[in-house]
Amino acid sequence: MKTPFFLKNLLLFLAPLLIPVIILGTLSIVVTKQYIRGEMNKSNLALFNQIDRQMTALTDELDSLYVGMGNPEIVFRLGEMMRTQSLKLENLRLMKTMLNYLNGPANAKPYMESIYVYVNNDHGQFLASGEGLVRLEGFSDAAWLDGYAAHAEQTDVWTEARRIRRYAFEAPTDVITLYQNLVSNVNNRPGGVIAINIDTGYIERLLADLTVYAGQEIRVLDGGGETVFRTPSRLETPLPPPGGGAYSERPEAWRAEGTSYLISRFQAKSGWTYVSITPKSSLNRIPFQLSALTVFFVLLSFSLGLALTWLLTKRNVRHIRRIVSLIQHAEAGAPLPEAASGRRTDEYGYIAQGIIKNFIERNHLSVRLTEEKYKLRTAELLALQAQINPHFLFNTLQTIYWKVLRLTGRPNEANAMLESLSSLLKYSLDTPNEIVPLEQEIESAKTYIRIQKTRYKERFETIWQYDAEDLRGAGIIRLLLQPLIENCMSHGLREEGRLRVKIKLIRLSGQLRIVVIDDGPGMEANQLGELRARMETEDEVFRHIGLFNTSRRIKLTYPASAGLTILSKRGRGTVVAITLPLRPVPG
């Protein structure tokens, strides 16, 4: 039976576990690869558009300066001023206006290091943002004019990578200089140049922030194919020639320095080209992780299914054999009809039939046993609660007897005692296992004290300490306080002198704390230990029957967290403390 059962359970476990995992993993890998390729094309196109906006902003600044300063009259007057070295009032105004025109974008744009304007002159003078009219000789950045000399006849924009060191104590700054010649309308030849120095580090940090994939590199190439800006990279192999087209939706595969890449290109209207170089590994990272997770979960599912099947089969076979044996023994000795054997392979049918027959017969016994337990517990509660101290009843009746003999027929103390006694007896015997308001229990205890006051006069004093508003709505079982007060009087008034009893009721975070303190003779340590031990036994025949009954009723009515504690010291008195869960009065 064990082997077919094991194979059946194994198939039931593995089929639901493995098939969904394999299908879901395979579909996830395929869909993820297609999604990543599509998202890569979208992200690259968005990336190139964003780079183009940044690069267009650079060239727009150069175009704006060229339009503003390329006016023939302005070029002529600047050239005349630099050649003649004469500063007329109108020339001073012109120079101030031009400097304001240069300083505006140079100060406002964080990526713009400086702007130069040069008009051909023999004195090497030019305008520099932040500096004004300066001479090439002695200026911190003098090499830039060589780029103009090498491209004096060029009419479009060109770039040059340079380094500028303003002060000896500063590190050099890498810049890309954008040049635009100022062409004269007279002879159609360049008469000067505008140069904008762009902070390379700022632009490259900007490009690095735009990257999406791990290890992705972005390059910006000028019209000649030279790299103008690039993100940090260790890749030094020259890029392959472009496949053609302004933008290719299908990236080019490229392998360099032992790594496979995908190259996407975008050629802007300005003539610049933007290139994205993405390692294939960064794109395949998620599909690879999904593949690894799929294999892992397949192996894990198989291992768990195998282990669970083995454990379940071993346990079930053991239980089945035990149950079959019990049922067979029960059928042999019990007056039950013989069970139909059924098919030999239908173990569960045979077991279920035997269990049902036994259950039908024993269910009635279980119900009756529960009823008997409930009746026994109810009777025990009633018996415990009905055990009012016979000495108290006897002494009360004796006191009433002698008072009646002394008094006349008109209302007197005897009438008051009889009324209090009637109220107390009615309270104690009315629905004994009911939860009553705490105020009602306190009033019953005070009625008991009034009866005892008539007997003992001023020999004892009670002090109540509680907050009626704080305890409003709290519930308690009947006759919980009276046995504690009676115990104080029974053992504290045996000797001459006065007895003081203090009753404290405190509400503490879901609990009710009852403390009864007397200043009676107290007990020796051995007496207290014996009392505590007797309280834990079932033997209730001893002189502290009131405490025993109270403790027993608490255990039967409340959970295990509730309890009664006794502290005492010879010559100092006794403390009885009860802790109960706070229960509301039933509605």
Side-chain angles (χ1 to χ4, degrees):
M1 179 177 69
K2 187 174 181 179
T3 301
F5 197 56
F6 173 78
L7 296 176
K8 179 181 178 181
N9 285 340
L10 182 62
L11 182 61
L12 291 176
F13 267 105
L14 291 185
L17 287 175
L18 292 182
I19 294 177
V21 170
I22 294 174
I23 294 176
L24 182 61
T26 305
L27 289 177
S28 299
I29 295 169
V30 174
V31 172
T32 303
K33 282 186 175 181
Q34 294 177 351
Y35 176 78
I36 289 176
R37 290 299 179 101
E39 286 299 310
M40 177 187 174
N41 293 334
K42 293 179 182 179
S43 64
N44 281 340
L45 184 57
L47 172 68
F48 292 148
N49 289 331
Q50 199 167 357
I51 295 173
D52 188 54
R53 286 193 292 270
Q54 298 292 338
M55 296 301 108
T56 302
L58 301 181
T59 56
D60 286 347
E61 290 291 343
L62 185 59
D63 292 341
S64 177
L65 289 172
Y66 181 80
V67 171
M69 305 189 68
N71 186 284
E73 182 181 354
I74 294 176
V75 174
F76 175 77
R77 290 178 60 184
L78 285 176
E80 181 184 23
M81 180 178 59
M82 293 178 184
R83 286 190 295 270
T84 61
Q85 297 293 294
S86 61
L87 293 176
K88 300 177 184 179
L89 179 59
E90 57 184 19
N91 290 337
L92 287 174
R93 291 176 178 172
L94 175 63
M95 185 173 68
K96 184 178 180 180
T97 301
M98 301 310 296
L99 285 175
N100 290 336
Y101 200 64
L102 297 182
N103 291 333
N107 295 331
K109 308 297 182 181
Y111 53 81
M112 199 169 293
E113 202 276 339
S114 56
I115 302 174
Y116 304 148
V117 176
Y118 173 79
V119 178
N120 296 339
N121 65 91
D122 297 331
H123 302 285
Q125 288 186 314
F126 63 95
L127 294 177
S129 61
E131 299 287 342
L133 185 62
V134 297
R135 288 182 179 273
L136 196 62
E137 183 181 355
F139 189 63
S140 58
D141 181 21
W144 71 276
L145 204 54
D146 295 338
Y148 167 62
H151 300 78
E153 302 298 327
Q154 191 163 337
T155 57
D156 56 352
V157 179
W158 76 93
T159 61
E160 180 183 8
R162 303 189 307 109
R163 279 193 168 188
I164 298 177
R165 187 171 188 173
R166 297 296 182 187
Y167 303 99
F169 58 83
E170 286 185 348
T173 301
D174 292 327
V175 298
I176 295 294
T177 303
L178 304 180
Y179 293 92
Q180 175 71 62
N181 284 337
L182 296 173
V183 181
S184 173
N185 290 336
V186 178
N187 54 13
N188 200 26
R189 291 176 60 83
V193 67
I194 300 175
I196 298 179
N197 295 312
I198 304 299
D199 186 350
T200 305
Y202 182 91
I203 299 299
E204 290 182 347
R205 287 192 298 272
L206 186 65
L207 294 178
D209 291 338
L210 298 177
T211 57
V212 178
Y213 304 101
Q216 183 180 14
E217 180 182 349
I218 299 174
R219 296 186 186 183
V220 178
L221 311 180
D222 60 14
E226 296 296 328
T227 300
V228 180
F229 302 109
R230 65 182 295 181
T231 54
S233 174
R234 297 180 180 179
L235 188 61
E236 299 298 335
T237 304
L239 292 175
Y247 173 74
S248 176
E249 293 187 359
R250 187 176 183 83
E252 309 167 24
W254 180 52
R255 185 171 182 81
E257 301 178 9
T259 305
S260 296
Y261 297 91
L262 292 175
I263 301 177
S264 299
R265 305 173 192 263
F266 182 87
Q267 187 172 3
K269 295 179 181 179
S270 61
W272 289 16
T273 303
Y274 313 131
V275 183
S276 169
I277 307 171
T278 307
K280 283 187 177 181
S281 58
S282 64
L283 299 176
N284 296 330
R285 180 171 54 87
I286 296 179
F288 177 77
Q289 291 177 349
L290 287 175
S291 301
L293 286 174
T294 301
V295 173
F296 171 75
F297 281 116
V298 167
L299 294 177
L300 180 63
S301 300
F302 181 80
S303 302
L304 289 176
L306 192 64
L308 288 173
T309 302
W310 184 79
L311 291 174
L312 184 63
T313 302
K314 182 179 179 181
R315 187 189 65 178
N316 288 349
V317 168
R318 184 175 65 252
H319 291 335
I320 289 172
R321 288 174 177 172
R322 186 180 303 166
I323 293 171
V324 171
S325 176
L326 291 175
I327 293 176
Q328 289 175 344
H329 283 79
E331 288 178 347
L336 294 173
E338 185 177 355
S341 59
R343 294 183 300 172
R344 296 178 59 87
T345 56
D346 188 13
E347 302 91 353
Y348 290 107
Y350 179 80
I351 295 171
Q353 189 175 3
I355 291 175
I356 290 172
K357 290 180 179 179
N358 283 274
F359 175 79
I360 292 173
E361 182 181 71
R362 295 172 186 174
N363 184 57
H364 179 64
L365 295 176
S366 176
V367 172
R368 292 187 60 186
L369 180 61
T370 302
E371 291 178 354
E372 293 297 326
K373 286 182 177 179
Y374 176 78
K375 291 179 181 179
L376 180 63
R377 183 173 181 273
T378 303
E380 186 177 13
L381 283 172
L382 292 173
L384 288 173
Q385 197 166 2
Q387 288 182 0
I388 301 175
N389 195 326
H391 296 287
F392 160 67
L393 293 176
F394 175 78
N395 292 333
T396 303
L397 292 175
Q398 287 291 320
T399 303
I400 296 173
Y401 174 78
W402 290 111
K403 286 289 179 182
V404 170
L405 289 179
R406 291 195 194 100
L407 300 175
T408 62
R410 63 179 179 271
N412 50 57
E413 287 184 325
N415 298 105
M417 290 182 66
L418 286 171
E419 184 178 358
S420 298
L421 181 59
S422 298
S423 176
L424 183 61
L425 289 174
K426 180 180 179 181
Y427 175 76
S428 62
L429 298 176
D430 186 19
T431 318
N433 60 343
E434 180 187 17
I435 299 294
V436 299
L438 184 56
E439 299 94 328
Q440 189 175 345
E441 174 67 12
I442 293 173
E443 185 60 34
S444 174
K446 289 181 178 179
T447 301
Y448 170 79
I449 293 173
R450 285 197 297 270
I451 295 174
Q452 295 291 16
K453 272 283 188 179
T454 306
R455 175 187 177 189
Y456 291 107
K457 301 294 184 185
E458 302 300 325
R459 288 191 59 194
F460 79 94
E461 176 187 4
T462 55
I463 303 170
W464 290 88
Q465 182 176 337
Y466 63 91
D467 186 345
E469 288 298 325
D470 188 40
L471 298 177
R472 187 177 301 277
I476 193 172
I477 59 175
R478 294 175 183 269
L479 295 177
L480 199 63
L481 295 177
Q482 182 262 331
L484 303 182
I485 301 172
E486 180 184 359
N487 184 73
C488 295
M489 299 177 63
S490 175
H491 300 283
L493 286 173
R494 290 186 175 186
E495 301 177 6
E496 295 297 327
R498 287 171 52 85
L499 175 70
R500 288 191 300 175
V501 180
K502 187 174 185 180
I503 305 104
K504 297 172 61 177
L505 298 99
I506 309 169
R507 183 175 188 163
L508 297 172
S509 62
Q511 289 185 330
L512 175 64
R513 180 80 169 171
I514 302 173
V515 183
V516 179
I517 309 169
D518 68 67
D519 60 354
M523 291 181 283
E524 300 289 349
N526 59 340
Q527 292 177 318
L528 180 61
E530 181 183 358
L531 174 60
R532 289 173 176 172
R534 295 286 297 275
M535 292 281 290
E536 297 298 325
T537 66
E538 298 294 330
D539 183 9
E540 58 181 87
V541 185
F542 68 105
R543 61 193 185 98
H544 292 280
I545 189 170
L547 291 179
F548 173 84
N549 284 347
T550 302
S551 176
R552 183 67 176 162
R553 290 176 63 210
I554 291 173
K555 291 179 180 178
L556 289 172
T557 307
Y558 292 95
S561 59
L564 183 147
T565 306
I566 305 174
L567 300 174
S568 185
K569 190 172 184 180
R570 188 64 180 175
R572 300 294 296 275
T574 303
V575 178
V576 179
I578 297 176
T579 302
L580 304 174
L582 200 61
R583 288 185 176 179
V585 179

